[in-house]
Amino acid sequence: MAEKVNDIEDLRQRKKSVGVVELQGPDGQARIVNLEELTDADAELAAKFGYKPVFKREFGYLSTFSFAVSISGLFATVSTTFSYALYAGGPSSAVAGLASSEYGAAQLLLAAVSMGSDFRYLPTTGMVIGVMAALTVLTGFVNSLSTYWMEKMTKTYVIFHIAILVTCSIALLARCENRHDAKYVFTDVSATSGWKPIGFSWLFGFLSVSWTMTDYDATAHITEEISEPEVKAPWAISLAMLFTYVGGFLFNIVLCFVMGDMASILESPMQQPVAQIFYNVLGKSGGIFYTVCAFFIIKFVTFTGMQSLARTVFASSRDHLIPLSDTWVRINPVTQTPLYAVWISVFWAIVINLIGLGSYAAIAGVFATTAIALDWSYCIPIVCKMAFGQFEPGPWHMGRLSWWVNAYAVVWTLFASIIFILPTVRPVDGVTMNYAVAFLGAILIFSAIFWYIGGRRYYTGPLIEAQVDENASGLTGNSSGNSTVSIGEFPRGGEMRKSQGTTT
């Protein structure tokens, strides 16, 4: 038995394999694949990690970078979170700090409609939730397309986003007749949050940057669809984050220069301060145009976010981490994508947002909880890397800067987690309460109970879809240093499909 375990561990460590494997396709038909004919990434996925390559690798450098940029949705996310900084500490807080969701998309779309009706129409919470549900279904249909079309669509996004960001900034600065001076923008501190001292309130301005910079690992979730992912994925994430930091900082400065009276835009009937700025400075036509552009950009965020989420559901199901795993892991034979994983994600996105019908404070707490959970998921492996020192750098890494970047990431995550669970307005009551701490505690308690009751019985960590051929008496060496193994699939309650391969 010990030898069998060692053989499987050897299989995990194998860098390259030759020979053939028999893989069962999404249509149930078996096919023989020569590992030498696969790309390096697919061969490593099949041989080193024991996973079947099931997605087409359509994403190149431009589309991967565009995907990484799209997940932050800089222009649109700043548009929907700018008010956090203004309430907390005024323009200087907005400049110092830099979520994106279907809910925000619905708010932006309805803000454009309100603007077009000369504010005779004002959106209600029920309308926002209804539009949100329809937009989420649209996102599901888009993610039902093949990877080929997702790549083509994603490739154009970054060009559109940068063009809108630049032209909007220029238009605002050119058309605004009463701009604030630099002293007001960079030094004025004025809070309406009720927190004392005002310096503490000022820190809540960082909620805007926290929302904008979250979910940046999404590119890692689609690495099975990227050619040369070990290089392109980390390169795209790093470059996209640099763009978001710099672009977001500059766009916040532009908004603070042209926003006019802060109190009036915070009291906007559209409940969207940045859309109100567009309207005040650029007029009705310009305001509608850039608000609609922000809507399109945030929809790209939801498209890529749903793609990332569905791949996460697929990957978790492949390791039997979640209930009904055999369903969510199925690949549609036409689109070659996990449609069941897509639509269960759509379902839960709508269900969770329905909380907003009862209480906006409750749904805001849900959004804050997701941001905290995402940040923790990034930070846990970083802490393990720093604590245990067993990390193997890939071909793209930050060298000696890595440790310092990791340390900063841990400190930032701790800080962001604190401000995400605190109420942003005082005094605190049922309307202003931040329920994130309650949701977070409930999730942790439920997860612990679920794990001890049943999870630990069937989830033992990432599974390999490969096994030493029992008929070959383990890995049998020969004079050339080659070995014979079987690589296949382990459906629950079924037998593995076996084939012979040779490893070096």
Side-chain angles (χ1 to χ4, degrees), residues 46-384:
K48 181 180 178 182
F49 297 103
Y51 289 133
K52 297 183 305 180
V54 296
F55 297 111
K56 291 186 177 180
R57 296 187 181 274
E58 303 279 6
F59 282 71
Y61 273 109
L62 177 59
S63 52
T64 304
F65 172 65
S66 184
F67 184 97
V69 171
S70 70
I71 206 65
S72 70
L74 170 61
F75 181 81
T77 308
V78 170
S79 298
T80 56
T81 61
F82 190 62
S83 59
Y84 281 108
L86 297 185
Y87 277 118
S92 64
S93 181
V95 170
L98 193 38
S100 298
S101 66
E102 297 287 3
Y103 197 94
Q107 288 179 314
L108 285 173
L109 181 60
L110 293 177
V113 173
S114 178
M115 207 180 297
S117 69
D118 294 323
F119 305 108
R120 290 188 297 271
Y121 164 81
L122 296 177
T124 64
T125 299
M127 294 175 182
V128 173
I129 297 295
V131 173
M132 173 280 304
L135 292 176
T136 306
V137 172
L138 172 63
T139 301
F141 281 119
V142 170
N143 272 269
S144 297
L145 299 173
S146 68
T147 301
Y148 173 83
W149 291 109
M150 292 295 294
E151 188 272 342
K152 297 300 180 187
M153 182 175 61
T154 303
K155 185 182 293 185
T156 61
Y157 165 83
V158 68
I159 300 172
F160 175 76
H161 191 171
I162 293 176
I164 294 300
L165 185 64
V166 172
T167 59
C168 182
S169 299
I170 294 173
L172 289 171
L173 292 172
R175 291 292 302 275
C176 184
E177 297 179 354
N178 298 306
R179 290 190 293 270
H180 292 295
D181 57 27
K183 181 179 180 181
Y184 174 82
V185 170
F186 292 103
T187 64
D188 185 79
V189 178
S190 55
T192 60
S193 67
W195 276 93
K196 300 294 182 181
I198 195 172
F200 189 86
S201 176
W202 188 85
L203 294 177
F204 285 108
F206 285 94
L207 284 172
S208 181
V209 65
S210 299
W211 283 119
T212 305
M213 301 301 292
T214 196
D215 204 20
Y216 39 79
D217 74 316
T219 306
H221 300 170
I222 65 162
T223 50
E224 290 186 47
E225 298 165 81
I226 301 173
S227 61
E228 299 180 276
E230 66 279 4
V231 174
K232 292 177 182 176
W235 168 84
I237 292 173
S238 301
L239 192 59
M241 290 303 97
L242 177 62
F243 164 78
T244 303
Y245 271 121
V246 176
F249 180 68
L250 296 177
F251 187 51
N252 271 279
I253 291 175
V254 170
L255 291 176
C256 289
F257 269 113
V258 305
M259 69 179 179
D261 180 56
M262 186 175 70
S264 65
I265 65 170
L266 287 175
E267 295 173 359
S268 168
M270 298 180 290
Q271 302 178 3
Q272 291 295 312
V274 173
Q276 189 67 52
I277 293 174
F278 294 160
Y279 180 85
N280 293 346
V281 177
L282 304 176
K284 181 178 178 179
S285 298
I288 292 175
F289 175 78
Y290 281 109
T291 302
V292 171
C293 286
F295 165 74
F296 282 130
I297 287 172
I298 206 169
K299 279 309 296 176
F300 267 103
V301 175
T302 63
F303 293 159
T304 52
M306 183 64 73
Q307 183 180 3
S308 171
L309 175 58
R311 286 3 176 221
T312 303
V313 172
F314 170 85
S316 300
S317 299
R318 184 166 54 184
D319 291 331
H320 301 294
L321 177 60
I322 58 179
L324 301 177
S325 294
D326 291 342
T327 299
W328 319 131
V329 80
R330 294 178 185 175
I331 300 296
N332 183 272
V334 177
T335 64
Q336 293 293 301
T337 54
L339 294 189
Y340 288 104
V342 168
W343 285 99
I344 191 60
S345 301
V346 170
F347 171 78
W348 282 112
I350 294 175
V351 169
I352 291 173
N353 273 291
L354 290 178
I355 297 173
L357 288 174
S359 168
Y360 178 78
I363 194 63
V366 171
F367 295 156
T369 302
T370 60
I372 295 170
L374 281 168
D375 286 346
W376 285 8
S377 72
Y378 311 150
C379 205
I380 289 172
I382 293 175
V383 171
C384 291

Side-chain angles (χ1 to χ4, degrees), residues 375-438:
D375 286 346
W376 285 8
S377 72
Y378 311 150
C379 205
I380 289 172
I382 293 175
V383 171
C384 291
K385 170 194 171 185
M386 299 176 70
F388 301 109
Q390 297 180 354
F391 176 76
E392 274 188 46
W396 198 102
H397 57 85
M398 303 189 73
R400 294 182 178 179
L401 290 177
S402 178
W403 190 92
W404 297 101
V405 173
N406 291 163
Y408 172 78
V410 174
V411 173
W412 168 259
T413 300
L414 177 62
F415 166 74
S417 298
I418 293 173
I419 63 173
F420 263 123
I421 64 175
L422 292 175
T424 56
V425 177
R426 297 190 69 181
V428 179
D429 55 28
V431 176
T432 61
M433 174 63 182
N434 185 346
Y435 293 96
V437 64

